[in-house]
Amino acid sequence: MVFICCAFYAEAKPVIDFYGLKKNHYASKFDIYEGENIILIITGMGTVITSAAVSHLLTRYSAQKTDIALNIGIAGAVNPDYRKGEAVLCNKVVNTFSERCFYPDILVKHPFKEGTLLTYPRPVRGKEKVFYKGDLVDMEGAGFFEAASSFLYVHNIQLIKVVYDFLDDLSINKEEIYGIIRDNLQDIDYYIKALVEANEIIKNPLSYEDEEILKKIAQNLKLTFTMERRLYNLALAYKIVKKDKDLGFLKEFLNIKPDSKREVKYYFELIKKRLSV
Amino acid sequence: MSSLKSGFRFSPFSHLYIEEKALEYPITREITSKFLNSNKVLIGDYREVFTRPRQSFNLQKKAVKLILAVKKGEFLFKAPEVCHDFGFSNFYYTSPILNCPYNCSYCFLKGMYPSSNLVIFVNIQDYLEEIEKLWAEKKNLYIACSYETDLLAMERIVPYSRRFIDFCRGKKGLIIEVRTKSANIDAIKDVLPAENAVLSWTISTPFIAETYEKNAPGIEKRVMAMKKAQELGFRVRLCFDPLIYYKGFEEEFYKLIEYIFDNIDKSKVMDAGIGVFRIPKEYMKNIRSCGIYDEIFYFYYEEGKKVFSVEKSIKEKMVNIAVRELSKFLPQEKIFYL
Ligand code: SF4
């Protein structure tokens, strides 16, 4: 799954159009748009609300570590080498309030410039008000990263900021924002696909179906937490060592509901034997 | 979103994370000058990057980054029981680099570190001074300086093997061991060998090298590097560690030993170490709980007090074969096993 977070609608609109996302009318706290494998949330502005939105999103959709979260939005540039409309991939994010720094892991080649993002708690007008070393200024990035890093691999948390101003004019032109984000979406899409493929390499050999079988068996056999972990680890080892052999043979245990602890033990030992490597 | 093949590529060495304190060291300048196209990201402390939560060790291996840092705290550590001491009581190890450019499936570093990025501590002089102090105190001292990395493989990026060799030359009672799987002997061909510097090559049977030692040079290249090291005048040690059992091990091991001693000068082999695959329990736990799925960590192992290892009978079988074959070329007192 790919989760995209934008601070406000004007930033989200080009992404919604690009991927043909549909609004989820049942979502209450935050506006959420859904596609086949992409979910977009409009977080609101500021680190606290962004953190809340990201946590809400990743919990609601049961995010796995190999899912991807992107913060896409506009930013003001401190670095004069950037030009308006240019997309920058952030390799360092500074929360200027807590002074904590975060480093997204950048593992695949990409077409963007890179830079340090400074997240301020309020809008910054004038470069002379920027007291930290950095290239870009926003109000959400650090909150996004900090929340997402409780859920996902650090290489799956990425921030792409499109340069909108140079901290000289804080007025917002929605059409202009739409245009500059849209113009970068082809590259962003390429990057997302690259990340998705990279994650394939490290994906858990136990499929969703395998996990469902294991869960159901554990439930029916009333396994303790430790026994359930053991079952999971044995199944994982089996799948790895036997080179992706199907776990379908465990289906015969799906409907067994033992009456006594002795029976539980009996079936557990039986399954262990079948899963030995 | 369709699952198109994006044709992406990983980006090794695309980033250098540099502690601000490290900027003032000449080695930092030397290293950065070799990576002109990489992004340089300034950091406060290397742990901000190295110990981030939820890093993928195996994926980072495909796009490894450099972290340049200044080491603080302890520099030397008493070697753990799972390591060969080769008969030395004052056996210490030191780690001027964390992690290794190779990517062996069985590598214990996967359970030891949360990241596979390479940390280079640029204050090498502080390491040498600490060794000098301990040597002055103990008189006899054995230092392994390439256990958590492969110093010789890193020599073109940071020339630390030569620093250690130059440092120990003439220091009686001090022995420095550089362990490697590298064929990069040319990187130190201009270095004057030192009596008390040991270059120690880890060699596996071809099947294990091809299956589990991705990125490391093949066996022929390692043996040729050993041969050249001997010709240059270095003391050479052979390490058959970890031995991993499979059908055909005995036959391949026999051929491997024949091949090695057909090519190198047995009279110039300092000694040989043998060790069967083993891994501390804590590392195994880390590996199995953090999304590392290399099959070697999922075979059945016997659980000892502190380590997981193969069954006793298999262990004895492998050690017996290795000792038997090595004894054809080396005297018993030069063969060490765990
Ligand atoms: S050479 Fe040694 S340290 Fe390097 S990856 Fe292989 S086992 Fe690990």
Side-chain angles (χ1 to χ4, degrees):
Chain A
M1 192 68 79
V2 177
F3 299 100
I4 297 180
C5 305
C6 299
F8 51 90
Y9 186 72
E11 289 178 332
K13 180 80 170 71
V15 184
I16 293 168
D17 291 349
F18 187 87
Y19 289 112
L21 307 180
K22 299 274 174 292
K23 186 163 179 170
N24 178 336
H25 293 285
Y26 300 102
S28 51
K29 291 183 175 59
F30 300 95
D31 281 345
I32 291 178
Y33 295 80
E34 296 175 339
E36 202 188 324
N37 287 315
I38 297 190
I39 315 285
L40 180 145
I41 191 167
I42 298 178
T43 62
M45 278 156 55
T47 50
V48 176
I49 193 69
T50 300
S51 288
V54 172
S55 300
H56 169 76
L57 178 73
L58 300 182
T59 308
R60 182 185 170 124
Y61 290 90
S62 308
Q64 307 291 306
K65 280 199 293 187
T66 43
D67 288 335
I68 293 160
L70 260 97
N71 178 204
I72 300 175
I74 57 165
V78 188
N79 186 338
D81 294 341
Y82 295 156
R83 48 174 186 80
K84 185 165 180 160
E86 190 164 41
V88 180
L89 183 65
C90 305
N91 56 29
K92 177 175 177 176
V93 183
V94 184
N95 183 333
T96 60
F97 184 68
S98 65
E99 301 200 325
R100 287 190 66 192
C101 299
F102 307 98
Y103 304 90
D105 220 356
I106 297 173
L107 302 183
V108 296
K109 285 210 157 83
H110 61 79
F112 311 109
K113 266 195 183 153
E114 290 191 17
T116 296
L117 176 69
L118 307 171
T119 299
Y120 273 85
R122 68 190 76 81
V124 179
R125 185 182 195 137
K127 286 184 187 171
E128 64 286 351
K129 301 241 174 72
V130 177
F131 301 119
Y132 292 87
K133 265 189 232 158
D135 305 299
L136 294 163
V137 172
D138 86 338
M139 288 172 58
E140 293 81 30
F144 161 80
F145 190 95
E146 205 164 357
S149 63
S150 296
F151 295 82
L152 311 178
Y153 276 126
V154 78
H155 64 262
N156 285 333
I157 310 167
Q158 301 289 325
L159 300 93
I160 298 175
K161 295 286 168 179
V162 180
V163 176
Y164 182 66
D165 59 61
F166 290 85
L167 305 181
D168 36 14
D169 178 9
L170 296 185
S171 59
I172 294 282
N173 177 329
K174 287 181 190 162
E175 284 76 43
E176 207 177 16
I177 292 173
Y178 187 97
I180 61 170
I181 291 187
R182 184 204 50 211
D183 290 349
N184 285 291
L185 280 174
Q186 207 61 56
D187 283 346
I188 293 174
D189 182 55
Y190 163 83
Y191 189 53
I192 290 175
K193 285 184 178 125
L195 285 173
V196 170
E197 279 185 45
N199 280 288
E200 282 293 308
I201 296 170
I202 50 162
K203 82 166 198 278
N204 190 329
L206 286 175
S207 65
Y208 178 74
E209 288 74 34
D210 294 333
E211 292 201 14
E212 288 301 300
I213 293 176
L214 296 172
K215 250 190 244 162
K216 187 107 191 277
I217 290 176
Q219 227 170 37
N220 288 351
L221 292 185
K222 294 199 178 72
L223 298 184
T224 62
F225 177 75
T226 320
M227 285 164 106
E228 191 176 344
R229 287 311 308 159
R230 181 106 179 90
L231 174 68
Y232 178 90
N233 289 333
L234 285 169
L236 179 64
Y238 181 89
K239 201 88 190 208
I240 293 169
V241 174
K242 304 277 184 191
K243 305 266 181 292
D244 259 351
K245 233 176 160 185
D246 193 14
L247 284 185
F249 66 89
L250 286 182
K251 281 189 184 147
E252 69 178 85
F253 296 97
L254 270 181
N255 296 316
I256 292 172
K257 294 186 178 175
D259 295 323
S260 64
K261 278 192 178 168
R262 228 173 104 193
E263 259 188 76
V264 171
K265 215 173 150 216
Y266 169 78
Y267 283 114
F268 187 59
E269 288 305 318
L270 206 61
I271 295 172
K272 267 170 63 181
K273 210 177 261 171
R274 300 285 293 273
L275 286 173
S276 64
V277 290
Chain B
M1 198 182 57
S2 61
S3 58
L4 288 174
K5 286 279 165 224
S6 62
F8 77 90
R9 281 190 295 151
F10 285 104
S11 53
F13 300 108
S14 60
H15 292 74
L16 265 58
Y17 296 93
I18 309 171
E19 276 186 2
E20 297 210 27
K21 295 181 294 285
L23 287 173
E24 64 204 48
Y25 288 79
I27 288 170
T28 303
R29 285 192 288 280
E30 191 181 329
I31 297 168
T32 50
S33 71
K34 294 171 186 164
F35 295 94
L36 293 175
N37 294 326
S38 303
N39 287 290
K40 321 278 182 306
V41 183
L42 282 187
I43 57 175
D45 185 296
Y46 79 94
R47 284 167 294 201
E48 286 175 3
V49 179
F50 192 62
T51 63
R52 285 170 295 183
R54 279 170 278 284
Q55 298 179 77
S56 168
F57 192 101
N58 275 355
L59 210 56
Q60 284 179 334
K61 269 282 178 199
K62 297 184 179 296
V64 88
K65 318 293 180 203
L66 288 183
I67 302 172
L68 308 186
V70 178
K71 172 77 177 158
K72 298 183 288 278
E74 275 186 273
F75 288 79
L76 300 167
F77 303 90
K78 197 95 178 117
E81 283 167 30
V82 288
C83 294
H84 276 289
D85 62 12
F86 295 97
F88 292 88
S89 52
N90 293 320
F91 177 34
Y92 285 75
Y93 73 97
T94 189
S95 303
I97 299 177
L98 311 182
N99 274 322
C100 174
Y102 299 139
N103 186 14
C104 305
S105 306
Y106 55 71
C107 184
F108 67 102
L109 296 174
K110 294 180 183 190
M112 190 169 172
Y113 296 135
S115 163
S116 58
N117 287 331
L118 290 155
V119 180
I120 300 176
F121 292 111
V122 294
N123 50 331
I124 186 73
Q125 194 54 37
D126 294 339
Y127 282 82
L128 301 180
E129 282 166 19
E130 286 298 313
I131 296 172
E132 180 121 32
K133 269 192 236 160
L134 193 64
W135 170 61
E137 182 195 315
K138 306 266 185 200
K139 308 292 185 253
N140 281 301
L141 185 61
Y142 184 99
I143 303 280
C145 59
S146 187
Y147 273 17
E148 289 165 9
T149 185
D150 191 314
L151 274 196
L152 193 58
M154 292 288 289
E155 196 70 8
R156 304 253 183 229
I157 293 175
V158 58
Y160 279 174
S161 303
R162 63 175 58 222
R163 286 295 289 270
F164 278 106
I165 295 166
D166 284 340
F167 167 76
C168 74
R169 192 176 302 110
K171 293 190 171 65
K172 216 170 152 265
L174 172 67
I175 293 187
I176 299 267
E177 183 198 352
V178 178
R179 186 167 293 190
T180 188
K181 283 193 180 108
S182 168
N184 199 15
I185 189 68
D186 280 351
I188 54 166
K189 68 174 186 228
D190 58 325
V191 178
L192 190 65
E195 243 313 274
N196 47 344
V198 184
L199 297 184
S200 155
W201 265 273
T202 301
I203 313 275
S204 309
T205 54
F207 175 76
I208 294 299
E210 280 154 29
T211 313
Y212 294 128
E213 297 172 357
K214 286 160 238 158
N215 302 358
I219 297 309
E220 279 176 31
K221 285 191 175 153
R222 282 183 235 175
V223 173
M224 288 311 136
M226 256 194 293
K227 180 181 164 128
K228 182 143 190 201
Q230 284 189 328
E231 286 162 7
L232 289 167
F234 286 102
R235 296 177 84 189
V236 164
R237 160 177 293 150
L238 298 170
C239 280
F240 301 95
D241 188 1
L243 292 180
I244 296 169
Y245 193 73
Y246 56 95
K247 224 170 121 201
F249 166 78
E250 184 165 5
E251 178 70 9
E252 268 211 333
F253 193 83
Y254 158 79
K255 283 190 191 150
L256 173 69
I257 299 300
E258 291 267 310
Y259 176 71
I260 292 171
F261 287 101
D262 271 354
N263 284 286
I264 67 169
D265 183 345
K266 67 180 180 194
S267 69
K268 289 185 188 158
V269 171
M270 186 178 154
D271 52 28
I274 299 163
V276 171
F277 177 69
R278 63 213 172 276
I279 186 153
K281 280 161 93 171
E282 194 194 328
Y283 295 175
M284 188 68 123
K285 197 173 137 217
N286 294 343
I287 287 167
R288 287 180 173 174
S289 65
C290 72
I292 289 175
Y293 303 120
D294 298 281
E295 66 168 2
I296 187 96
F297 298 119
Y298 291 87
F299 291 137
Y300 169 74
Y301 294 109
E302 242 170 41
E303 194 173 339
K305 226 171 160 191
K306 290 184 184 159
V307 294
F308 279 106
S309 189
V310 288
E311 287 167 67
K312 206 169 163 223
S313 57
I314 296 179
K315 178 180 165 170
E316 283 172 3
K317 187 172 175 184
M318 279 196 285
V319 170
N320 287 340
I321 293 169
V323 171
R324 184 189 75 211
E325 294 308 319
L326 278 164
S327 311
K328 294 178 185 166
F329 299 94
L330 297 175
Q332 282 288 339
E333 64 275 15
K334 283 192 174 188
I335 302 170
F336 295 84
Y337 52 89
L338 271 174

